[in-house]
Amino acid sequence: MPDAARVCHLTVDESGVGQRLDNYLLRQLKGVPKTHVYRIIRSGEVRVNKARAQADTRLQCGDLVRVPPVRVAQAAPAALRPAPPRDFEILYEDEALLAIHKPAGVAVHGGSGVSYGVIEQLRQARPEARFLELVHRLDRETSGILLVARRRSALTRLQEQFRSRQTGKTYLAWVLGEWPQRLKVLDAPLKRYLVAVGSAGATAGSEGERRVRVATRDDPDAQAALSLVRVRERAPGFTCLEVTIKTGRTHQIRVHLASAGYPIAGDDKYGDFDRNKALTRSGLRRMALHAWKLEFDHPMTGARMALEAAPPPDLEEFWNHVRNRSV
């Protein structure tokens, strides 16, 4: 970590090529509050090659980044210790990428009140790895397939596939109610907003918690979103759905299903809160959403890859329970 008490100049090496400036600094400035990192960028105190830069500026090899004196968060000692190393179930691995089965309840990265996540734990577990970066993200309570790049070139090629919708992503979602067989396409546009600090669910000390809602098609801030739904199995009062998303909007599946009148069981943001309490007593202690299948082209060979992660035991136990008894 750079010296927090004085101006520092960092030279971008191969591991930082193509990274956004904000993400690069968040990785370099361990213990510095995220809000402070964005503040020094906005104020122009951070310079790239002696010029002001934006948070989304992409860095190149050899770029010189000026970092002003920064304040380290006054956190408990435990929060400042390195993330504990952790091994995750490996679905696929080669020299270019790593696919793991992310468990529910684990964030993919640190930030927003979370000291560390999957990527920090992987780096601690693999100190010999020169490069490990998230290709995409999953919500903290969502289990399933998560891709990690082991090379910068693999990262950029995979992220371009995600941006250009060349990947195939199918989730399993267990929803409340009996999903109508005829309802197969959800295409309501979505809009992001923030829940004000002090509102239910907002994180203390944050600028607000990210939320999403359905928007009108003429809303200038609306984003097109498309989810394809197929009924996998029914149980009394519940339906297990296969949801293939053609766009990757924040909370897309959760909002599309809830807006259709069939929220995901256990969803603490968009779900049925009274039902969720009953489900907790019946053993479901998280949102019943699982990243089941993922298709993409291998970033080096171009071969089409098809990965699958079976639902974890907690979701299997929940489903076995409701198959035989209404909750």
Side-chain angles (χ1 to χ4, degrees):
M1 175 179 168
D3 188 339
R6 62 183 178 85
V7 172
C8 291
H9 293 86
L10 306 175
T11 301
V12 178
D13 60 18
E14 183 182 352
S15 67
V17 173
Q19 272 196 313
R20 287 170 50 116
L21 176 61
D22 54 355
N23 291 334
Y24 177 78
L25 289 177
L26 288 169
R27 185 171 179 183
Q28 295 291 329
L29 302 177
K30 301 297 186 184
V32 177
K34 187 175 182 179
T35 54
H36 188 65
V37 171
Y38 281 100
R39 188 175 301 120
I40 61 175
I41 295 173
R42 288 194 301 267
S43 68
E45 295 176 85
V46 174
R47 301 287 178 120
V48 177
N49 300 327
K50 300 183 179 181
R52 292 182 67 132
Q54 303 299 315
D56 60 357
T57 297
R58 296 286 176 175
L59 299 175
Q60 302 300 320
C61 191
D63 280 350
L64 188 65
V65 180
R66 177 195 183 274
V67 182
V70 292
R71 61 181 178 85
V72 177
Q74 297 300 310
L80 296 178
R81 289 200 293 264
R86 179 172 178 177
D87 292 319
F88 297 90
E89 179 185 347
I90 305 298
L91 300 172
Y92 177 84
E93 182 175 9
D94 63 19
E95 70 282 356
L97 64 92
L98 173 67
I100 68 167
H101 188 163
K102 186 190 87 67
V106 182
V108 295
H109 59 77
S112 300
V114 179
S115 299
Y116 55 82
V118 169
I119 193 64
E120 290 86 3
Q121 291 185 290
L122 274 177
R123 288 171 183 154
Q124 289 295 321
R126 297 172 174 234
E128 75 288 351
R130 296 184 59 188
F131 186 91
L132 288 173
E133 290 288 350
L134 293 167
V135 174
H136 61 119
R137 285 157 174 71
L138 293 176
D139 288 343
R140 184 174 183 176
E141 294 306 314
T142 302
S143 55
I145 304 171
L146 181 67
L147 290 187
V148 176
R150 298 185 62 188
R151 290 182 179 178
R152 171 64 59 185
S153 56
L155 177 67
T156 56
R157 292 170 190 172
L158 287 167
Q159 288 183 332
E160 176 56 32
Q161 289 185 54
F162 276 82
R163 280 193 294 267
S164 59
R165 306 175 189 176
Q166 298 173 38
T167 58
K169 295 176 284 185
T170 301
Y171 291 69
L172 296 179
W174 290 261
V175 301
L176 306 180
E178 298 183 5
W179 186 272
Q181 192 71 40
R182 58 176 175 74
L183 189 54
K184 298 179 180 180
V185 179
L186 302 175
D187 60 358
L190 303 177
K191 177 179 180 178
R192 290 188 291 183
Y193 66 102
L194 291 178
V195 175
V197 175
S199 300
T203 303
S206 70
E207 296 178 355
E209 185 178 358
R210 180 179 59 182
R211 294 289 179 91
V212 178
R213 60 174 172 245
V214 168
T216 59
R217 298 190 184 279
D218 59 355
D219 189 320
D221 296 323
Q223 294 181 308
L226 177 61
S227 304
L228 306 180
V229 182
R230 177 179 178 271
V231 174
R232 177 180 174 90
E233 188 178 352
R234 298 181 186 277
F238 298 86
T239 311
C240 178
L241 302 174
E242 298 175 9
V243 185
T244 299
I245 56 174
K246 297 299 185 180
T247 50
R249 307 305 181 196
T250 301
H251 298 171
Q252 176 175 325
I253 295 175
R254 301 167 68 175
V255 176
H256 266 172
L257 298 182
S259 66
Y262 303 87
I264 297 174
D267 189 339
D268 63 357
K269 285 186 172 66
Y270 309 102
D272 183 322
F273 305 121
D274 291 335
R275 290 291 301 280
N276 287 346
K277 290 180 181 177
L279 291 171
T280 299
R281 292 192 292 270
S282 299
L284 183 67
R285 293 179 172 81
R286 58 101 159 189
M287 178 174 61
L289 182 63
H290 177 71
W292 178 40
K293 292 184 177 181
L294 179 63
E295 294 186 5
F296 57 94
D297 294 334
H298 192 281
M300 299 304 167
T301 68
R304 193 65 174 173
M305 304 283 294
L307 303 178
E308 181 174 327
D314 64 331
L315 292 181
E316 291 285 13
E317 290 170 9
F318 161 70
W319 192 236
N320 286 333
H321 177 79
V322 300
R323 277 190 181 109
N324 302 305
R325 176 182 175 185
S326 181
V327 178

